[in-house]
Amino acid sequence: MVVGSQAREVDLVVIGSGPGGYVAAIRAAELGRKVVIVERDYIGGVCLNVGCIPSKALINAGHKYHEQVHDLDTVMGVHSKGATLNWEETLKWKDEKVVKTLTGGVGMLLKKNKVEILRGEARFNDNQVLNVIDGDESHLLEFKSCIIATGSRPIEIPGFKFEGRVVNSTGALSLPEVPKHLVIIGGGVIGSELAGAYASLGAKVTILEGLPHILNGFDDEMIKVAVEEFKEYGIDIVTNARAKGSEQTADSVKVTYEVDGKEEVIEADYCLVSVGRRPNTDSIGLNNTDVKVNERGIIEVDNRQETSVSGIYAIGDIVPGPMLAHKASYEAKIAAANAAGEDELNCAVAIPAVAYCNPELATIGETPDSAKEKGIDVIVSKFPFAANGRAITMNATRGFVRLLTDKASHVVVGAQIAGPGASDLISEFALAIENGLTSEDISMTIHPHPTLGEAIMDTSELADGLPIHI
Ligand code: FAD
Ligand code: NAD
């Protein structure tokens, strides 16, 4: 049934309610636009429902279980023998207490900002009209402005159809049981994070990675810290491995792969395929518009997040740059401001990236290699967590903070943290880089004691040539 063959006029329509779409909708409403947000699936997008949030919930549950079951705190005299895992309860907590709390919160924020939520799948009829299909119903919306935030989906590879015991990240976040043996194809961020989660929950994990190392995107020194921990968890990592096919039985899956020219078979109870994600731009009717899309399905945008069609903006996983929730939300604020008549430029200097391994890895801006490639003359200083008081009290001394400052001006140009709390600590460097701060600025900022954050101050003092604690 078509609900009204006449198109309804709307001010601003946002397609997709992930960390790109919902942030854009709220910001545009705050700036006075009348906003309709279209969502075909779940409010909160991949991030809140089947991405960042539920994966971190399982990672944290894994840490807690691993510590207790292996009685790791004995060094502090705390004994926790006899810990058990009730997987059903873990999944229920993840879904009902974590995901639902956050998606419910986003729904409330949208309502509070008077954003209309329209359920259905949006497709462009042309540069001005969207068709929103929800089952048998469809609505035509004629918009003044549109922000596309349709996100991405997992890539499927030949021989590994997502069904039964072969799962993508969404399936891996809700397995019916903790696998005895989990094979993971692709040791990128998703593969590595979920390898850590399931290994700590008691699974034997094998990662098959096509490249010479896992966690591509982080540098060798950082990867080494994660790999050391993976080995302690009993995770097997097979690099230069090309996955060829899978065969399922009632209770197992056999994965065939090639390494060093030799074919090998490995049997597991589940196989996670995490070989990257593809933008959701192929079935939204962009061919009916003048929006330019590159050969990989990425939408071209200018520094106002505007596409090649005036009044249509695009943000998040469907535009160039890393597929990260915080990048999507930043771009959302730029697009919403411009759609509301302001003139806001995307001028982010650097985007932080984190891998939630144990310990965490976080990077922003230049690394020693990238600085060398670009010919930037840098001071590189490195401070170990083993010399940080708080890390010692936490019995978490593995890893380091590394800072890169411009040799002439001492301005911070990059930083890497491998160690406890890296995901939170990296924001201090993000602030420094965005605001052109120097190592002296950080050194002379009073950091509370005892904190992991003092390691950032100590690294800056090293860069100044005036270290106290090393
Ligand atoms: P999405 O979150 O993908 O949202 C897009 C929304 O659009 C979806 O709800 C979809 O249903 C809807 N949609 C699509 N097409 C249509 C249509 N035609 N009509 C109506 N609605 C439509 N990033 C991080 O920064 N940190 C992390 O820790 C992290 N962990 C992750 C863990 C996993 C397992 C995965 C899979 C991803 C993770 N990511 C993480 C990546 C992050 O989830 C994405 O970068 C982020 O969700 C992108 O936001 P988005 O708004 O562009 O799109
Ligand atoms: P990825 O690009 O990070 O890693 C994919 C890995 O699979 C690569 O190492 C690649 O070499 C390998 N690979 C590809 N084809 C292969 C094959 N046939 N056999 C073996 N290995 C193969 O992709 P992902 O892990 O799927 O994650 C997708 C995106 O989601 C990431 O780019 C990231 O932006 C986002 N994400 C971010 C976080 C975070 O910020 N903490 C967490 C999860 C996901």
Side-chain angles (χ1 to χ4, degrees), residues 16 19-20 39-40 45-46 51-52 56 120 122 150-151 277 317 323-326:
E39 174 56 59
R40 66 171 180 200
V46 166
C52 325
K56 270 77 235 179
T150 48
R277 297 178 62 81
D317 285 4
M323 289 181 167
L324 295 172
H326 42 282

Side-chain angles (χ1 to χ4, degrees), residues 15-22 38-53 55-56 120-123 149-154 169-170 173 190 193-194 277 280 283-284 315-318 322-329 354 356:
I15 315 175
S17 69
Y22 86 75
V38 184
E39 174 56 59
R40 66 171 180 200
D41 236 331
Y42 21 54
I43 297 292
V46 166
C47 171
L48 265 60
N49 292 277
V50 289
C52 325
I53 294 297
S55 59
K56 270 77 235 179
E121 175 138 12
R123 273 179 71 89
T150 48
S152 62
R153 62 183 187 276
S169 54
T170 301
L173 292 169
I190 294 183
E193 287 188 359
L194 292 180
R277 297 178 62 81
N280 291 325
S283 59
I284 55 171
I315 57 175
D317 285 4
I318 54 172
M323 289 181 167
L324 295 172
H326 42 282
K327 170 193 167 267
S329 299
V354 176
Y356 293 78

Side-chain angles (χ1 to χ4, degrees), residues 56 157 185-191 193 208-211 216 241-243 274-277 322-324 354-356:
K56 270 77 235 179
I157 51 172
I185 299 174
V189 220
I190 294 183
E193 287 188 359
L208 304 178
E209 166 56 51
L211 293 173
N216 193 26
R242 199 164 62 87
S274 47
V275 294
R277 297 178 62 81
M323 289 181 167
L324 295 172
V354 176
Y356 293 78

